[in-house]
Amino acid sequence: LALEHPEAQLVGIEPDEGNFAVAALNTARFGDRVRLVRGAIWDHEADLVFDPEIEAGEHGIAVRDARPADDGARRLRGLTLDTFVDLAFPGEGIDYMHVTIEGSEPRVFAAGGAWPDRVRSLRVEAHPYFGYPVEECVAQLESLGYRAEPAPSPPDKWVFATR
């Protein structure tokens, strides 16, 4: 995106320390046009922990709310989409948001918020293997005021939405 859209400001959020480091290396050449946040998108502000018990696929990472029994576990900042959008682009609209949060999409979208009024278009990864098929993703995005439809290829994996 940074190469194809040289005027764009890009912000990413990543929970995994190793992935975050790789993202920082890959985007360093774009200077302050790319900002990275270490954390995870969640349905409420929370301390989160990685949960190896949740199957997240070969490349996925699942998180959950931290519990008292997680004493000593490395914690991670969980942000709502409203908070993330406010941090990333205070008071501004966002032209495009790419959302792939490893099966957390249903809970995050169900939380609602003010962010849909500021985000003009989305590409969302549906996760049928996590019980979140494209049809449910489309319905959730439409309930948030978007026109949504499955992406042409692959139609069972991605949803495009616009306001």
Side-chain angles (χ1 to χ4, degrees):
L1 287 173
L3 288 171
E4 291 178 19
H5 304 280
E7 305 300 316
Q9 295 289 311
L10 305 169
V11 179
I13 185 166
E14 172 58 48
D16 180 73
E17 191 173 306
N19 290 345
F20 186 91
V22 169
L25 286 172
N26 288 340
T27 60
R29 65 184 163 156
F30 300 108
D32 63 1
R33 284 197 319 118
V34 176
R35 291 170 293 165
L36 300 173
V37 175
R38 179 99 196 293
I41 299 297
W42 205 235
D43 62 338
H44 61 277
E45 304 293 315
D47 283 336
L48 304 174
V49 294
F50 293 107
D51 191 340
E53 302 295 318
I54 299 173
E55 175 55 43
E58 181 181 354
H59 303 290
I61 297 167
V63 296
R64 64 167 169 76
D65 285 296
R67 303 176 188 137
D70 294 323
D71 190 35
R74 191 174 43 181
R75 293 180 187 245
L76 185 64
R77 184 177 179 195
L79 303 172
T80 65
L81 274 175
D82 279 344
T83 300
F84 181 68
V85 167
D86 285 342
L87 285 172
F89 298 99
E92 297 179 45
I94 297 172
D95 292 322
Y96 172 77
M97 182 184 288
H98 181 94
V99 180
T100 175
I101 48 179
E102 307 309 327
S104 297
E105 292 86 354
R107 71 183 297 147
V108 168
F109 293 157
W115 67 269
D117 292 332
R118 294 179 54 198
V119 178
R120 292 179 195 85
S121 65
L122 298 131
R123 180 179 185 215
V124 179
E125 183 177 12
H127 297 280
Y129 37 87
F130 294 141
Y132 189 58
V134 163
E135 298 78 19
E136 185 178 335
C137 181
V138 166
Q140 272 195 303
L141 292 169
E142 287 177 345
S143 75
L144 293 169
Y146 289 94
R147 289 182 314 276
E149 61 185 48
S153 177
D156 63 338
K157 178 97 169 148
W158 294 99
V159 173
F160 290 129
T162 57
R163 291 189 71 79

